[in-house]
Amino acid sequence: PLIVRVPGIPPARVRGAVGGVDVLPTVLQLLNLPTPERAVGRSLVPAMLGGALRELPILSELRLNPAYHSDSV
């Protein structure tokens, strides 16, 4: 989950997957600053205001540290 609190925007639950790449465009839009063209994510502000969240694929990577795992189960 991603929890964002913004003064002036009422609390709401937004359904859908978001990624860390969505944080920068969201913060920049809230600050009325332009988002760089090379930014990968999308702003979540429209969804925070009650609009629909545009579906995008989310990539997740997990690297397991062998020190935390045992092959003997």
Side-chain angles (χ1 to χ4, degrees):
L2 174 67
I3 299 172
V4 180
R5 181 168 187 247
V6 180
I9 296 181
R13 173 176 265 175
V14 175
R15 302 254 182 227
V18 300
V21 296
D22 298 325
V23 174
L24 176 66
T26 301
V27 171
L28 291 176
Q29 183 175 357
L30 290 168
L31 295 173
N32 293 316
L33 296 173
T35 301
E37 288 185 27
R38 65 182 181 273
V40 178
R42 71 224 156 142
S43 174
L44 303 174
V45 172
M48 293 166 59
L49 296 173
L53 183 62
R54 185 170 47 109
E55 291 293 327
L56 290 176
I58 301 293
L59 174 66
S60 178
E61 182 177 346
L62 176 64
R63 293 183 182 223
L64 300 176
N65 185 334
Y68 298 129
H69 301 281
S70 171
D71 290 335
S72 59
V73 176

